[in-house]
Amino acid sequence: MADSEDPALMYVVEISRPAGGYGGPWWATGNTGAPGQVVAALRELADRVAHDHRAAAATLRCWYSYLVQWSNGIVLYSCDGVGHPDTAVAELRRVAAGVIAATRPSQQPSFQRPRPGSAGGASR
């Protein structure tokens, strides 16, 4: 469940079993949570897929589809592709990084420099 302070995100991950002719669905999962929870889940899935596909031959390919959206249905990140399982893992990690970048608080300083002639600014 999402924290009341964090906006909820929903994610769906689908990856096929690696095969010469594109295998059937292998991973199909989704959930809803706060951005930090979604990032953790996506990273864990990437690690698990990487581990399970470690021995996949270079010629085997899979399809993948990733979707992350806000609770109001606005899509934050979506991608579909075909490639070696390593490509699917790399893209899943990019999705997690994209969620971090899109949901972290601004890194801008919270103060503003006083303007000359205003209170607190340099006087003449």
Side-chain angles (χ1 to χ4, degrees):
M1 277 314 220
D3 295 336
S4 60
E5 296 177 8
D6 291 328
L9 291 173
M10 186 274 299
Y11 69 90
V12 176
V13 173
E14 296 175 310
I15 303 173
S16 73
R17 183 173 306 283
Y22 305 115
W26 179 62
W27 281 97
T29 188
N31 208 340
T32 301
Q37 294 168 317
V38 170
V39 168
L42 295 174
R43 286 177 172 170
E44 180 182 345
L45 285 168
D47 290 346
R48 292 178 72 183
V49 171
H51 179 267
D52 290 351
H53 284 312
R54 191 169 292 165
T59 59
L60 296 183
R61 300 170 81 63
C62 66
W63 55 261
Y64 54 91
S65 176
Y66 309 137
L67 171 69
V68 179
Q69 66 185 31
W70 297 104
S71 58
N72 63 5
I74 295 174
V75 174
L76 177 62
Y77 194 96
S78 175
C79 74
D80 299 293
V82 174
H84 188 271
D86 290 345
T87 304
V89 169
E91 190 64 33
L92 189 51
R93 289 187 173 130
R94 276 192 285 277
V95 171
V99 171
I100 291 170
T103 60
R104 74 173 164 228
S106 172
Q107 299 299 313
Q108 298 296 320
S110 60
F111 69 91
Q112 293 181 355
R113 288 188 178 155
R115 287 180 264 153
S118 66
S123 59
R124 294 183 178 225

